Amino acid sequence: MWCHSPPPQPRCDVTTASPSPAVESLGGGWSLGAQWGCNSPCSGAEPHSHLHGWAPPSTQAPGCSPAPRTQPQKALFLFQRLSFDKEGMIQRARRLIDLYKEAGIGKDRILIKLSSTWEGIQAGKVLEAEYGIHCNMTLLFSFAQAVACAEAGVTLISPFVGRILDWHVANGDKKIYEASEDPGVKSVTKIYNYYKKFGYKTIVMGASFRNTGEIKALTGCDYLTISPKLLAELSKEHVKLTPTLSVKEAQACDLEKIHLDEKAFRWHHNEDQMAVEKLSDGIRKFAADAIKLERMLKERMFSTENGK
């Protein structure tokens, strides 16, 4: 059963006989990207009307990979072309939940992924409060997005550490950052501290890491989603890590609580050039990949090779 708090104990989708001390001390929760399902660019596909229902939920539902044996949850990446359509996201999410219910899979095992636009966040608020559907807000780059997600009461957010770093490296004079000064690390640290200081139950899951330094700088975070490559590098280290994030320290920080209505959200988010560019770029790229997947599906489903 999904719950907001407390987070699960540290875990990993890969079975290892003896994880290194560095891996064992990563924090309150850590995982591979595959844990919640498919995070590939094509996972946001939205088939045309004649392709709806192309994969039965009993095998593999749209936007989802089969859950690993070690985890019962499935992640459904809702279609990026609905990123500015609140009602469309709500309707599609409820439809997917119904499909899984027909296959004997309860909504407590499903995590709906939505873009962290204002409309996406408000859709997540309705899905959580009115339908008990758990939501993961993705493409999150600004503090304004994080505050709005907390106020919406969504289950989980995925701030993109590495993509934030990428933007600063590409657009600034500084090309190399120490982990403690990494813009992505500083962003997630601020979000974590804000959530813990003011008692928000939304889970913070740092994602999109570029190096192990970023991961180690965020030990203690609720969840970290770590690629197999970086996890393998961590497994070779034999130094016990001390958590850099903690509820105690967060509660002592000097952040002030703020409230964001739609006008305030749009203003504060717009003030963050990096976040505006990365959010819009992410939506465009996911949407483009969705079109590619649709073409692939049509070719495979209706080609003469398949007797159609």
Side-chain angles (χ1 to χ4, degrees), residues 26-39:
L26 278 174
W30 53 280
S31 64
L32 289 180
Q35 176 178 327
W36 304 112
C38 181
N39 278 325

Side-chain angles (χ1 to χ4, degrees), residues 176-197:
I176 300 177
Y177 288 85
E178 294 294 327
S180 61
E181 295 299 318
D182 185 302
V185 170
K186 293 173 72 173
S187 175
V188 175
T189 298
K190 181 178 180 180
I191 293 168
Y192 174 90
N193 286 341
Y194 185 83
Y195 278 22
K196 302 314 176 190
K197 178 170 183 176

Side-chain angles (χ1 to χ4, degrees), residues 5-164:
S5 179
Q9 292 301 307
R11 64 192 184 282
C12 174
D13 293 325
V14 175
T15 301
T16 55
S18 180
S20 72
V23 170
E24 288 183 328
S25 58
L26 278 174
W30 53 280
S31 64
L32 289 180
Q35 176 178 327
W36 304 112
C38 181
N39 278 325
S40 69
C42 289
S43 63
E46 180 182 3
H48 294 301
S49 58
H50 59 282
L51 289 177
H52 284 177
W54 59 269
S58 58
T59 55
Q60 183 170 333
C64 178
S65 285
R69 288 176 297 174
T70 55
Q71 285 295 324
Q73 289 88 1
K74 294 177 181 290
L76 304 184
F77 204 155
L78 218 56
F79 315 114
Q80 293 302 316
R81 280 171 286 177
L82 297 175
S83 293
F84 304 101
D85 183 351
K86 173 186 170 183
E87 294 303 321
M89 283 182 272
I90 293 171
Q91 293 173 12
R92 187 60 57 85
R94 294 182 63 195
R95 174 57 179 155
L96 290 174
I97 293 298
D98 287 342
L99 287 173
Y100 271 100
K101 183 178 180 180
E102 293 172 9
I105 300 173
K107 64 183 178 182
D108 59 312
R109 291 180 56 193
I110 307 298
L111 191 63
I112 298 290
K113 296 183 72 174
L114 304 170
S115 298
S116 297
T117 57
W118 175 258
E119 294 80 4
I121 295 168
Q122 297 311 303
K125 180 178 181 178
V126 172
L127 290 168
E128 295 270 5
E130 298 184 19
Y131 302 104
I133 296 174
H134 300 297
C135 297
N136 170 13
M137 306 309 300
T138 189
L139 293 177
L140 192 149
F141 302 98
S142 72
F143 186 64
Q145 288 174 295
V147 170
C149 287
E151 293 190 317
V154 299
T155 296
L156 185 147
I157 64 168
S158 299
F160 284 178
V161 180
R163 294 195 196 186
I164 293 175

